[in-house]
mmCIF file of all heavy atoms in Angstrom:
data_model
loop_
_atom_site.group_PDB
_atom_site.id
_atom_site.type_symbol
_atom_site.label_atom_id
_atom_site.label_comp_id
_atom_site.label_asym_id
_atom_site.label_seq_id
_atom_site.Cartn_x
_atom_site.Cartn_y
_atom_site.Cartn_z
ATOM 1 N N ASN X 27 -7.057 -3.430 -9.979
ATOM 2 C CA ASN X 27 -7.004 -4.771 -10.563
ATOM 3 C C ASN X 27 -5.809 -5.480 -9.941
ATOM 4 O O ASN X 27 -5.175 -4.949 -9.033
ATOM 5 C CB ASN X 27 -6.976 -4.747 -12.104
ATOM 6 C CG ASN X 27 -5.741 -4.096 -12.678
ATOM 7 O OD1 ASN X 27 -4.623 -4.332 -12.226
ATOM 8 N ND2 ASN X 27 -5.927 -3.260 -13.693
ATOM 9 N N ALA X 28 -5.488 -6.655 -10.406
ATOM 10 C CA ALA X 28 -4.432 -7.450 -9.773
ATOM 11 C C ALA X 28 -3.063 -6.778 -9.834
ATOM 12 O O ALA X 28 -2.202 -7.047 -8.992
ATOM 13 C CB ALA X 28 -4.368 -8.825 -10.421
ATOM 14 N N VAL X 29 -2.846 -5.894 -10.796
ATOM 15 C CA VAL X 29 -1.515 -5.307 -10.999
ATOM 16 C C VAL X 29 -1.463 -3.818 -10.695
ATOM 17 O O VAL X 29 -0.477 -3.342 -10.155
ATOM 18 C CB VAL X 29 -1.031 -5.575 -12.447
ATOM 19 C CG1 VAL X 29 0.324 -4.952 -12.706
ATOM 20 C CG2 VAL X 29 -1.003 -7.066 -12.733
ATOM 21 N N THR X 30 -2.505 -3.076 -11.043
ATOM 22 C CA THR X 30 -2.464 -1.621 -10.872
ATOM 23 C C THR X 30 -3.615 -1.126 -10.005
ATOM 24 O O THR X 30 -4.679 -1.732 -9.942
ATOM 25 C CB THR X 30 -2.520 -0.875 -12.226
ATOM 26 O OG1 THR X 30 -3.753 -1.178 -12.869
ATOM 27 C CG2 THR X 30 -1.362 -1.248 -13.119
ATOM 28 N N THR X 31 -3.361 -0.005 -9.357
ATOM 29 C CA THR X 31 -4.369 0.685 -8.549
ATOM 30 C C THR X 31 -4.174 2.177 -8.780
ATOM 31 O O THR X 31 -3.034 2.648 -8.867
ATOM 32 C CB THR X 31 -4.184 0.355 -7.051
ATOM 33 O OG1 THR X 31 -4.323 -1.051 -6.868
ATOM 34 C CG2 THR X 31 -5.199 1.086 -6.190
ATOM 35 N N SER X 32 -5.280 2.907 -8.864
ATOM 36 C CA SER X 32 -5.153 4.355 -9.017
ATOM 37 C C SER X 32 -6.086 5.073 -8.058
ATOM 38 O O SER X 32 -7.163 4.578 -7.703
ATOM 39 C CB SER X 32 -5.419 4.785 -10.462
ATOM 40 O OG SER X 32 -6.715 4.415 -10.867
ATOM 41 N N THR X 33 -5.632 6.257 -7.626
ATOM 42 C CA THR X 33 -6.392 7.104 -6.717
ATOM 43 C C THR X 33 -6.393 8.541 -7.229
ATOM 44 O O THR X 33 -5.577 8.917 -8.079
ATOM 45 C CB THR X 33 -5.790 7.112 -5.293
ATOM 46 O OG1 THR X 33 -4.455 7.617 -5.350
ATOM 47 C CG2 THR X 33 -5.812 5.728 -4.660
ATOM 48 N N ALA X 34 -7.312 9.330 -6.664
ATOM 49 C CA ALA X 34 -7.355 10.767 -6.925
ATOM 50 C C ALA X 34 -7.216 11.481 -5.585
ATOM 51 O O ALA X 34 -7.629 10.960 -4.543
ATOM 52 C CB ALA X 34 -8.658 11.159 -7.597
ATOM 53 N N PHE X 35 -6.641 12.677 -5.639
ATOM 54 C CA PHE X 35 -6.463 13.486 -4.437
ATOM 55 C C PHE X 35 -6.435 14.958 -4.821
ATOM 56 O O PHE X 35 -5.640 15.373 -5.664
ATOM 57 C CB PHE X 35 -5.156 13.120 -3.734
ATOM 58 C CG PHE X 35 -4.863 13.931 -2.499
ATOM 59 C CD1 PHE X 35 -5.716 13.898 -1.410
ATOM 60 C CD2 PHE X 35 -3.733 14.725 -2.427
ATOM 61 C CE1 PHE X 35 -5.441 14.644 -0.266
ATOM 62 C CE2 PHE X 35 -3.447 15.464 -1.291
ATOM 63 C CZ PHE X 35 -4.312 15.424 -0.204
ATOM 64 N N THR X 36 -7.319 15.741 -4.209
ATOM 65 C CA THR X 36 -7.341 17.181 -4.437
ATOM 66 C C THR X 36 -6.649 17.870 -3.271
ATOM 67 O O THR X 36 -6.990 17.635 -2.106
ATOM 68 C CB THR X 36 -8.787 17.689 -4.587
ATOM 69 O OG1 THR X 36 -9.396 17.011 -5.688
ATOM 70 C CG2 THR X 36 -8.804 19.201 -4.849
ATOM 71 N N ILE X 37 -5.692 18.717 -3.588
ATOM 72 C CA ILE X 37 -4.879 19.394 -2.576
ATOM 73 C C ILE X 37 -5.647 20.581 -1.998
ATOM 74 O O ILE X 37 -6.101 21.457 -2.735
ATOM 75 C CB ILE X 37 -3.547 19.855 -3.188
ATOM 76 C CG1 ILE X 37 -2.788 18.650 -3.720
ATOM 77 C CG2 ILE X 37 -2.720 20.623 -2.163
ATOM 78 C CD1 ILE X 37 -1.674 18.986 -4.663
ATOM 79 N N LYS X 38 -5.765 20.571 -0.685
ATOM 80 C CA LYS X 38 -6.465 21.649 0.013
ATOM 81 C C LYS X 38 -5.446 22.547 0.729
ATOM 82 O O LYS X 38 -4.355 22.106 1.085
ATOM 83 C CB LYS X 38 -7.461 21.065 0.999
ATOM 84 C CG LYS X 38 -8.583 20.307 0.298
ATOM 85 C CD LYS X 38 -9.557 19.708 1.268
ATOM 86 C CE LYS X 38 -10.684 18.975 0.572
ATOM 87 N NZ LYS X 38 -10.295 17.954 -0.367
#
Side-chain angles (χ1 to χ4, degrees):
N27 64 44
V29 178
T30 62
T31 300
S32 60
T33 61
F35 178 62
T36 301
I37 300 164
K38 294 179 179 54

